[in-house]
Amino acid sequence: MRMTKAVFRTVALLGVALFSVAQTADAATVNIESPSGKVRVHISDESGHLTYKVTADGKDVLAASPLGIRTNAIDVGQHTVITKVKRGKVAETYRLYGVKRFAEHKANTATLSLRDTGSVAFADVQVADDGVAVRLRLPAQTGRKVEADLSGWRPSDADATMWVSELKEDYENPYYQSRLSQLSGKRLGAPITLKINGLWVTLTEAAVRDYADSAVGVSPDGLLLNTLYANPEGWTTDAAVIQPWRVTIIARTLTELVNSTLVQNVNPAPSAELARADWIKPGRSTWQWLAIGDPLEDDQPQWVDWTKTLGYEYYLIDDGWAKWKQPWPTLEKTVRYAREKGVGIWVWVHSREVFEADARRSFFKRLADAGVVGVKIDFPEPGSRTWSNWYEDAARDAAAARLMVDFHGAIKPSGTERTWPNVLTREGVRGHEWHITRYNRKLPAAHDTILPFTRYVAGPGDYTPTVFTPKELQGNTWSHELAQMVMFTSPFLSFGGHPQTYISNPAFGVIKDMPAVWDETRVLAPSQPGEVAALARRSGEAWYIAVINNETPRSAHLKLDFLTPGKWQIEDYADDRQNPAAFITGKRHVAPGESLDITLSPQGGYVARIRRQ
C-alpha cells in the first residue's frame, strides 16, 4: 500500500543522511554514474517493483529491468522500499593473465538497503565506464528456501541484433546471429552480445559462488530472465544468499568490448599468498587426445621430447592414462624425465574422482608429490549450487597443493579466476574437439568469428586450437587454423594438433614462439561477428595479427596504426586458394600506419608476426 510506503519513507528520513535519492510520493530513484559520467544506472522502487535502467553516452541500453529472488514463496523485489543508500568508489589495478597485462578496476558503487514484505535485503551496484553490475543479497536465515532467480535484462531495443548460443549444460553449443524478436521461448547460455543504439553490449553473470549457474530465458515481451536450469526446485540454506552479479558490459568499439574486465573486477581479489605465487605460470602445452586419442604408455618420453622441441612449457597427459598397466609408476617416470627437459606435466582426471573433499585432497596430494604441476578436471555435472561450490572447493584445494587447474566440460566463466589465479582456463566453449572426423562433427563456419566477441569477453577458454592434418581441416584452411592460436585466449594454451605437424610446418617459427598471454589486444576494422574476426595482439615488442573468416570469400584491409615509430619486419601466412593445407608466405619491412590488403578464402584466415628491427 503506497500510504504505508510513504509513511515508512518519512520515518526513515528522520535519521542522519540515510537517504540521498530522488523521490516522489510514489517512488524513490537512486542514480549512480560511472567515473567519467558516461554510463548511468537508475534504480527505482516504483509501485514496489525494484528495477534498474542503464544508459550510456545518453543512449538507452536497458529499459526497466527486474532485480529479484523468490525465497520462501515470496518474490523479493516485488514489494520493495529503498530505505538507505551508501555510496563509495573503487580504484585498483591488478595483474591479469590473458587479453592484456593489467586490469583496471575503477567504479562508483552503491549499496541500497531494502525493506521487502517485512524483511531486510540489500542491492549492490557497481558502475564503471565499461558497464554495470548489480545483485541482491539476503541476510542469513535458518532454513531459507531459494526457489527462483527473478533478475534479468530488458534491452531497450526490442529487436536488437544478438549473437547467442542456446544452452547446453556443458556450454558447448555453437554461437549464431539472431534478433531478439526471433528468440522468444529459447533458453540461452551466457555470455550474450547485442548491438543496441550503436553500442556493443555483452550480458553475463559474475562471481557465481554458493548459488546456481544461470541460463537466460527469453520472454515473448523481450525480457531476458535468469533461470536456475540446474536447480529447478531450488535449494535450502541457512547462509546469506548472495546473488551473482548481473553484468552488462558496454563498449563503443569491439576493442573496448574484448578488453573489458568487468566480470573479473567484481570478484574478490586473491589472497596475498596466491597473488604472488611463483608456481602459477601460464604457458603452452602439447596434448595427444585430439591427435591420437588415449595416451600410449610406451611413448610418453617421445611426447616430452616433442614438447621440448617446440619450446612449450607443458605436456598434458589426458584421459586414458589410468588404464595403463602401471599408471602411477609410468606417470612418475614421465614427470622425472620431463623435469630433466624443462617440461611440466599436467594430468587429466574425471570430476567424479575428485568430487568428495577427502578423495580430492588425497588425489591432488599424490599428483603434487609426483611432481605434477597442473590438473585438467573433466565432466563436472550441470551447474547446480552444489557444483558451483565444488568449483570453488576444487580451486582452493588445488591451490593448497600448488596445482594449476583447467576445468573442462565446464560451465561458463564468471571471473572467479581472479580470486583463484591458479585456475588458468576452462572449457565452456565449443572448441576444436567439435571439429573432428572420428566423431563426424564439424563446426559452423561463422562460429569462430563470433567467439571473440561473446564467450571470450567473459574470460579465457580452452579451445584446443590448430590442427594441420589435411583430413581434419573440414573446410578450414591452414591460415584459419593457425589464427586460432592467436585468437582464442587461454593462459594454459593446450594445442590440439599433433606436434610432428607443428615441427614440420612452414610456420614453425611462429608456432614455437606463440605466447599464451598477451600484453595488449586490439580489434581491427574489418571485424564483424559472424563474418570476420581480426585481432592485433602484442607480446613484448612483437605484434601478432590473426584473421578468421566465415564461409564467404572476401578481401580485407588491415591498418597497422598500432605500430610505434621505428623499423618493423613482417612475416605472414595467408590462404593458398589452390590448397587449404598450404600457406602463401612472405617477409618484408613495414612502417607504422601502413596497410595490408589480404584475400581470405572460405573458412580462411591470415596470420602475421611483426617484430621491431
Side-chain angles (χ1 to χ4, degrees), residues 284 286 306-312 499 502-503 508 511-512:
R284 295 81 44 85
T286 55
W306 284 327
T307 306
K308 177 66 174 178
T309 299
L310 285 162
Y312 293 169
Y502 294 174
I503 293 166
F508 173 69
I511 294 168
K512 188 175 187 293

Side-chain angles (χ1 to χ4, degrees), residues 14 49 54-55 59 73 76 122 148 171 227 246 268 279 290 300 336 339 350 358 361 384 491 530 562 583-584 588:
L14 294 177
H49 299 301
V54 177
T55 63
K59 303 173 183 177
V76 178
F122 303 92
Y171 283 84
T227 64
R246 283 32 185 126
W279 53 269
L290 198 61
Q300 294 309 292
R336 289 194 298 270
R339 186 178 291 156
H350 197 293
D358 288 345
R361 291 165 188 158
S384 66
F562 50 84
F583 296 118
I584 301 296
R588 60 198 180 279

Side-chain angles (χ1 to χ4, degrees), residues 294 297 319-327:
D294 289 358
E297 188 166 11
D319 184 16
W321 72 274
K323 294 182 287 187
W324 291 342
K325 291 179 180 179
Q326 294 184 303

Side-chain angles (χ1 to χ4, degrees), residues 449-496:
T449 72
I450 299 173
L451 285 179
F453 314 115
T454 50
R455 163 62 180 82
Y456 282 87
V457 175
D462 187 13
Y463 185 97
T464 60
T466 309
V467 172
F468 292 125
T469 305
K471 75 169 187 174
E472 295 296 338
L473 295 177
Q474 300 192 87
N476 289 351
T477 68
W478 268 10
S479 297
H480 182 117
E481 293 282 332
L482 184 62
Q484 292 174 348
M485 285 189 176
V486 183
M487 188 76 66
F488 300 133
T489 306
S490 183
F492 175 63
L493 187 53
S494 179
F495 293 112

Side-chain angles (χ1 to χ4, degrees), residues 536-551:
R537 315 193 81 169
R538 182 177 62 82
S539 175
E541 286 285 304
W543 282 91
Y544 292 74
I545 295 175
V547 184
I548 285 179
N549 190 32
N550 69 3
E551 73 279 2

Side-chain angles (χ1 to χ4, degrees), residues 318 348-352 376-380 406 408-409 427:
D318 207 82
W348 180 97
V349 66
H350 197 293
S351 63
R352 64 173 171 250
K376 174 180 176 179
I377 312 176
D378 210 346
F379 300 117
D406 172 4
H408 218 59
E427 194 177 20

Side-chain angles (χ1 to χ4, degrees), residues 524-584:
L524 303 182
S527 296
Q528 177 63 31
E531 297 180 12
V532 62
L535 300 186
R537 315 193 81 169
R538 182 177 62 82
S539 175
E541 286 285 304
W543 282 91
Y544 292 74
I545 295 175
V547 184
I548 285 179
N549 190 32
N550 69 3
E551 73 279 2
T552 303
R554 73 184 75 239
S555 297
H557 184 74
L558 310 176
K559 192 169 183 180
L560 306 181
D561 54 0
F562 50 84
L563 297 179
T564 54
K567 295 182 178 180
W568 297 85
Q569 186 179 67
I570 185 173
E571 57 178 306
D572 58 5
Y573 301 85
D575 290 329
D576 183 336
R577 288 188 174 186
Q578 306 304 315
N579 183 5
F583 296 118
I584 301 296

